[in-house]
Amino acid sequence: MSILNWNEIASNEGLIIFCLIFAVFRIYLEVIGFDFGSLPITKALGKNSSEDQLQKFHRSGLYLSIGYIVFFAPGILLS
């Protein structure tokens, strides 16, 4: 597989659905108010970063999840 052969990557519906499930789960965690600061990776990153940088890191993950759903869910629902 080549990175230039986009059709093989885009046609992998199983991977897209798998990632959509994780994106929905990420948004669900945000809605219920999950404390991302309690995650082990966040604690490890917290030693080298400020609390504000960690908040921005997790906020960007939320934006990526929303974007993934916006751009890929319609294609899966319409196919």
Side-chain angles (χ1 to χ4, degrees), residues 35-50:
D35 179 26
F36 291 100
S38 65
L39 295 173
I41 266 194
T42 305
K43 289 178 183 178
L45 288 174
K47 295 175 184 175
N48 300 329
S49 303
S50 69

Side-chain angles (χ1 to χ4, degrees), residues 1-68:
M1 178 189 307
S2 169
I3 195 168
L4 299 176
N5 193 357
W6 181 250
N7 289 332
E8 288 183 25
I9 297 171
S11 67
N12 192 351
E13 287 187 20
L15 178 64
I16 293 173
I17 291 172
F18 181 74
C19 291
L20 278 172
I21 290 169
F22 275 109
V24 168
F25 183 66
R26 169 62 177 91
I27 293 172
Y28 171 74
L29 289 176
E30 187 71 34
V31 169
I32 65 169
F34 181 75
D35 179 26
F36 291 100
S38 65
L39 295 173
I41 266 194
T42 305
K43 289 178 183 178
L45 288 174
K47 295 175 184 175
N48 300 329
S49 303
S50 69
E51 184 68 29
D52 188 45
Q53 288 176 328
L54 294 174
Q55 291 278 341
K56 289 180 183 178
F57 174 74
H58 288 295
R59 187 65 54 191
S60 65
L62 174 66
Y63 295 149
L64 286 171
S65 295
I66 291 170
Y68 193 84

